[in-house]
Structures are given as structure tokens and as C-alpha cells.
Amino acid sequence: MLDWRGQAAKLYPLVLGIPQMKNTDQAVIIAGASGLVGTEVLKELLEENSVGKVYALTRKELPFFHSKLEQFKDKQLKIPALNSDQPLPTFGFICLGTTLKQAGSKENLAKIDYDLVCQVAKDMKAKGVEHLAVVSSLGLRLAHSPITYERKEKWKQH
């Protein structure tokens, strides 16, 4: 059995290794911060010295607080307008996903795993995000995946 928390922790240093992230006041935004992978990425971001502000976009309340953390709770995962005194995030992390069982149908699964991810990415770009990391179907091998052929082809095109 795979250790998903360990896998998520391994992804984080790869993303923050981007040379542009040297500013100690760096603002970042993460969508899906209350999920399995997102929680682990959020914890790493809060501990990172080069990050001064973390915006967490979630559907439900986070179970903890931190001086660097500002939570945006929205059922549709829409990012609210930032005030002029709030730093704009230049790095974004999207950790959204579900299972077929939770979604109830392949159509609902695609709405979350693809459509919602794209909508959040566009919203992040509009808010100033220049660098984006997306964690989706962690550990999935497309050649051996039960996901539908149409979704595989759709993802390959983007």
C-alpha cells in the first residue's frame, strides 16, 4: 500500500525548488487544503521560511490556525477579491480530486477532477498566480488506470 502522505511531502520540495521563490514575503494560494494531499502540502507551506502568506481555498473549515494562514471558504471554490493591502499570490497549488465512489458518476468525477481544476487554475491566474502546481490522481498510471478513455485523451491534450 502506498503512503499518500509521504508521496505528498515528496512533491512539495520539487515545486518550491523553483528559483523565483526566494522572497521571504512570498504569497501562495492552495486549493483543496482540507483534503488528504492538500493538508500535507499546506503544512509544508506554512513551515517554509520563504512563504509569508498562505491563502487556503477550501469548502470546509480547516481544523487549525496559523499566523501565515488566511482561509477562503467557498462551496464553489471561487477566490474572493483581495484587498489592496493583501499580497498577491504568485505561486498556486491545486490539490483537488475525488473518487468515483464519492462522486457517484463518471460525469461528476470529471466535473471535479478536470472542470473544477481548470476553473480554479483560471481564477488563480486572474488573481496574479504565475507558477502553478497541480496534484491530481496521485500515483495514477494512465496506462493501467480504470478512468475512461475520453478523460485520458482530454488530459493528454492539455
Side-chain angles (χ1 to χ4, degrees), residues 8 12 30 37-46 93 95 135:
Y12 173 74
I30 177 172
V37 173
T39 298
E40 296 302 314
V41 174
L42 176 60
K43 288 176 185 176
E44 293 289 333
L45 288 168
L46 292 171
F93 298 84
C95 306
V135 179

Side-chain angles (χ1 to χ4, degrees), residues 91-107:
F91 282 80
F93 298 84
I94 300 177
C95 306
L96 300 173
T98 190
T99 64
L100 180 57
K101 184 177 180 179
Q102 289 175 323
S105 70
K106 289 180 181 178
E107 293 77 23

Side-chain angles (χ1 to χ4, degrees), residues 44-109:
E44 293 289 333
L45 288 168
L46 292 171
E47 292 177 13
E48 175 59 40
N49 291 332
S50 63
V51 174
K53 185 70 161 183
V54 178
Y55 300 110
L57 181 60
T58 65
R59 289 189 183 123
K60 57 185 175 183
E61 195 71 34
L62 292 172
F64 59 89
F65 297 94
H66 191 282
S67 60
K68 295 181 182 182
L69 179 63
E70 183 168 343
Q71 183 177 5
F72 300 138
K73 198 170 106 177
D74 186 83
K75 293 286 183 193
Q76 302 300 316
L77 293 179
K78 297 283 187 188
I79 304 169
L82 298 173
N83 297 327
S84 60
D85 62 337
Q86 293 175 295
L88 293 176
T90 54
F91 282 80
F93 298 84
I94 300 177
C95 306
L96 300 173
T98 190
T99 64
L100 180 57
K101 184 177 180 179
Q102 289 175 323
S105 70
K106 289 180 181 178
E107 293 77 23
N108 287 340
L109 183 65

Side-chain angles (χ1 to χ4, degrees), residues 114 118 142 149-158:
Y114 183 80
C118 290
L142 284 179
Y149 176 77
E150 296 82 28
R151 286 182 57 215
K152 288 181 191 179
E153 290 305 309
K154 194 174 184 181
W155 285 338
K156 285 180 185 177
Q157 292 172 9
H158 292 41

